[in-house]
């Protein structure tokens, strides 16, 4: 049965552009979630499954029930403010997941494949190849009228000994959810909605293939700016198996971009230009990129920021609350 989940993981990693969009969405599984009253709207519809042969489809159907039983975010700690600890496991319900840890404002994320074999949670971390078979117990408190379920890992590979995590919803992240179901006033990213001066309201990525295999990225993700050119966002760096996420606030004034990295307490300023070619492709040029040791850096426009469109997974980064 473990092999079946690994096969699903291989299929997901072979999805090319579709996987890129999925990865761009899951980086938004938050360092801390904002008000999350809408998350019951998000349900697993299978939209993330790749188109494959009927044999592979039967395989996914076979593993789906036990994998989806864990879907959602399992939190280690209660709600905290900026700089407080955050750790969680996220299970996408399809044999893929994330482990995120750090403090609100600066986190690191590890991708993994998983399976459930009897009373064991099988975890294969993608970057390192670490393999664990962890005894676990799920207590379904929400079936009894409580506000959360509990997951106990009796030999937690990311903690010491036995650890408990709570889940308030089995909602999953889908990049297609949000923009189509909410008004432009809610998302701030619908067609025609103001996003502020460029580069506000967009994701800007530098995606680099590695000679050793795989791809790495640096990504500025900026939510729409207000009338004064101010907004919030995140800087992500790593690859789609292992990356860091850093909260920031920004201000656009003329051709200058000011950046405040909240947890680091760092203020930076750089000149910038947004350019495009005859084919309509756009890129952002930073004169002194503070996340590339003040070296000039070019980022390609990846489209509207999921931070505005992927409701309800919208961070209140300025406050650092979930």
């Amino acid at each position: 049965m473990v092999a079946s989940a690994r096969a699903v993981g291989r299929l997901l990693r072979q999805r090319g552009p579709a996987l890129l969009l999925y990865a761009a969405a899951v980086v938004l599984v938050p360092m801390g979630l904002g008000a999350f009253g809408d998350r019951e709207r998000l349900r697993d519809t299978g939209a993330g499954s790749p188109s494959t042969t009927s044999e592979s489809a039967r395989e996914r159907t076979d593993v789906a029930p036990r994998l989806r039983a864990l879907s959602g975010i399992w939190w280690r700690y209660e709600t905290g403010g900026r700089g407080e600890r955050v750790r969680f496991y996220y299970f996408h319900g399809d044999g893929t997941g994330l482990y995120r840890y750090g403090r609100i404002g600066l986190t690191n994320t590890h991708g993994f494949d998983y399976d459930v074999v009897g009373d064991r949670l099988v975890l294969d971390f993608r970057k390192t190849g670490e393999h664990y078979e962890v005894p676990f117990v799920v207590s379904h408190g929400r079936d009894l009228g409580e506000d959360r379920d509990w997951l106990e890992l009796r030999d937690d590979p990311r903690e010491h000994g036995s650890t408990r995590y709570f889940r308030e919803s089995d909602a999953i992240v889908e990049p297609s959810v949000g923009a189509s179901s909410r008004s432009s006033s809610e998302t701030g990213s619908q067609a025609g909605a103001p996003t502020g001066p460029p580069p506000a309201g967009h994701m800007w990525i530098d995606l680099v293939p590695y000679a050793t295999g795989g791809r790495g990225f640096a990504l500025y993700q900026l939510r729409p700016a207000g009338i004064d050119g101010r907004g919030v966002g995140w800087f992500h760096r790593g690859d789609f198996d292992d990356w860091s996420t850093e909260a920031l606030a920004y201000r656009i004034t003329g051709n200058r971009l000011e950046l405040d990295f909240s947890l680091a307490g760092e203020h930076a300023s750089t000149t910038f230009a947004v350019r495009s070619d005859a084919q309509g492709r756009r890129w952002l040029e930073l004169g002194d990129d503070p996340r590339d040791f003040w070296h000039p850096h070019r980022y390609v426009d990846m489209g509207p920021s999921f931070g505005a469109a992927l409701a309800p997974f919208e961070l209140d980064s300025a406050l650092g609350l979930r």
Side-chain angles (χ1 to χ4, degrees), residues 48-231:
S49 300
S51 298
T52 62
T53 63
S54 58
E55 180 180 354
S56 297
R58 285 195 299 271
E59 181 180 57
R60 291 198 310 276
T61 301
D62 175 62
V63 303
R66 67 177 185 274
L67 300 184
R68 291 177 181 174
L70 289 174
S71 66
I73 301 174
W74 296 87
W75 298 94
R76 177 77 172 90
Y77 298 111
E78 298 283 353
T79 299
R82 184 174 61 190
E84 298 202 14
R85 294 184 185 275
V86 57
R87 295 176 194 165
F88 65 74
Y89 283 93
Y90 168 71
F91 299 94
H92 195 61
D94 61 357
T96 63
L98 306 170
Y99 176 73
R100 177 160 289 178
Y101 63 100
R103 295 182 182 273
I104 295 176
L106 181 60
T107 63
N108 204 49
T109 303
H110 296 164
F112 58 77
D113 299 321
Y114 73 95
D115 198 359
V116 175
V117 181
D119 64 348
R120 304 268 170 160
L121 173 61
V122 180
L123 296 169
D124 288 286
F125 286 88
R126 294 180 174 182
K127 185 75 171 184
T128 62
E130 296 169 273
H131 173 81
Y132 299 95
E133 298 185 13
V134 184
F136 79 100
V137 174
V138 174
S139 302
H140 295 282
R142 289 189 301 140
D143 292 343
L144 303 175
E146 301 176 14
D147 62 354
R148 58 185 56 177
D149 300 326
W150 290 93
L151 169 66
E152 180 181 358
L153 301 183
R154 293 183 172 172
D155 190 10
D156 190 339
R158 291 297 185 258
E159 298 278 351
H160 296 291
S162 179
T163 312
R164 297 182 77 212
Y165 298 82
F166 64 88
R167 176 181 69 177
E168 297 171 333
S169 171
D170 58 3
I172 63 169
V173 178
E174 290 288 8
S176 61
V177 174
S180 63
S181 62
R182 296 168 72 88
S183 70
S184 58
S185 63
E186 290 174 295
T187 66
S189 66
Q190 295 281 41
T195 60
H202 279 239
M203 295 188 294
W204 304 90
I205 190 169
D206 180 13
L207 185 64
V208 180
Y210 293 145
T212 53
R215 294 173 293 178
F217 65 83
L219 189 156
Y220 279 97
Q221 176 197 347
L222 306 178
R223 291 189 65 182
I227 193 171
D228 59 355
R230 298 177 187 269

Side-chain angles (χ1 to χ4, degrees), residues 249-287:
Y250 71 90
R251 181 187 179 195
I252 300 169
T253 55
N255 71 337
R256 298 201 68 83
L257 176 64
E258 297 180 15
L259 296 162
D260 287 286
F261 298 93
S262 57
L263 198 58
E266 176 186 350
H267 176 81
S269 180
T270 176
T271 58
F272 78 91
V274 175
R275 307 186 190 280
S276 60
D277 60 20
Q279 287 72 43
R281 293 171 296 197
R282 296 205 312 167
W283 59 88
L284 168 67
E285 295 179 351
L286 299 183

Side-chain angles (χ1 to χ4, degrees), residues 4-79:
S4 63
R6 290 176 180 169
V8 173
R10 286 194 299 272
L11 288 170
L12 287 168
R13 287 194 293 272
Q14 293 167 359
R15 291 170 61 189
L19 180 58
L20 176 61
L21 289 176
Y22 169 74
V26 295
V27 294
L28 299 173
V29 176
M31 296 168 286
L33 288 171
F36 203 27
D38 291 335
R39 61 183 155 186
E40 292 297 335
R41 298 182 186 184
L42 297 177
R43 293 297 180 186
D44 186 4
T45 61
S49 300
S51 298
T52 62
T53 63
S54 58
E55 180 180 354
S56 297
R58 285 195 299 271
E59 181 180 57
R60 291 198 310 276
T61 301
D62 175 62
V63 303
R66 67 177 185 274
L67 300 184
R68 291 177 181 174
L70 289 174
S71 66
I73 301 174
W74 296 87
W75 298 94
R76 177 77 172 90
Y77 298 111
E78 298 283 353
T79 299

